Amino acid sequence: MSGPKFLQFIALILTCKPVFALAQPARRQASGPVERIRRMPPEQRRRTLENLPPDRRKQAEQRLQRLDALPAEEREALQHRYDAFQKLPTERQERARGIFQKFNALDDEPRARVQNEMDSLRALSSPARGERLKSKQFKKDFNSSEQSILSDYAALLDEKP
């Protein structure tokens, strides 16, 4: 799962979760909630979004517009990542959401540095990740909050599915 795409996906989940709950019928459909709300007729989507608080509605609308603007292949890949995420144990999903919330609270410049490091950590083996997290350079490059985010992320990567 690619870093920026995964984080975009998590952002969409966090912002639109109430929308998904409203849009999801009692029985599970073949497509996921992202796809269902994206495919809603404009009037139904509008009514669903109206039930959200104004700030969350605005975020959801912006993210849905960005999703609609993606090429079909990217939307499909995002849907597959969402489906894979949904199959994770609840505890692991919650930890991933918590990591993303901390990540998202960072300012733009530190967020970009942390994103780059997440990409690097994902490409490393588990032992190499551990060495990187213990290195003097890592401690020099990132403050304690950023180190915490990256350590939690590495721990999530090291868990068996």
Side-chain angles (χ1 to χ4, degrees), residues 113-114 116-118 120-121 124 128-154:
R113 287 186 303 100
V114 169
N116 289 335
E117 186 67 15
M118 286 176 158
S120 297
L121 289 171
L124 297 174
R129 273 195 292 273
E131 290 300 315
R132 171 66 181 143
L133 295 173
K134 293 176 188 172
S135 73
K136 288 181 182 180
Q137 188 65 44
F138 179 80
K139 291 176 180 21
K140 179 183 170 198
D141 291 345
F142 302 100
N143 68 31
S144 61
S145 174
E146 296 162 351
Q147 289 175 31
S148 174
I149 292 167
L150 290 163
S151 295
D152 291 347
Y153 178 73

Side-chain angles (χ1 to χ4, degrees), residues 5 7-8 15 17 20 34 39 42 63 72 75 78 91 109-110 136 144 146 148 152 154:
K5 299 257 186 224
L7 294 173
Q8 291 169 355
T15 300
K17 189 174 181 181
F20 297 150
V34 172
R39 289 184 179 184
R63 293 207 168 121
R75 272 195 316 272
L78 189 61
E91 178 208 303
E109 189 274 328
K136 288 181 182 180
S144 61
E146 296 162 351
S148 174
D152 291 347

Side-chain angles (χ1 to χ4, degrees), residues 56-115:
R56 292 199 43 115
R57 180 178 60 234
K58 183 177 178 182
Q59 284 179 333
E61 288 171 343
Q62 289 171 344
R63 293 207 168 121
L64 286 167
Q65 286 172 354
R66 282 190 297 222
L67 181 63
D68 287 341
L70 290 175
E73 303 81 36
E74 287 187 43
R75 272 195 316 272
E76 185 175 321
L78 189 61
Q79 183 64 47
H80 288 298
R81 284 190 294 276
Y82 177 79
D83 292 341
F85 181 80
Q86 287 299 100
K87 292 177 184 173
L88 293 175
T90 303
E91 178 208 303
R92 195 165 177 198
Q93 288 181 26
E94 290 304 317
R95 285 204 337 271
R97 287 183 183 108
I99 293 167
F100 177 74
Q101 287 171 340
K102 291 176 190 174
F103 170 82
N104 200 37
L106 297 172
D107 291 332
D108 289 343
E109 189 274 328
R111 188 180 320 119
R113 287 186 303 100
V114 169
Q115 176 64 60

Side-chain angles (χ1 to χ4, degrees), residues 44-55:
Q44 183 182 4
R45 184 189 278 193
R46 184 190 61 74
R47 283 192 315 268
T48 300
L49 293 172
E50 281 177 351
N51 291 321
L52 295 174
D55 58 331

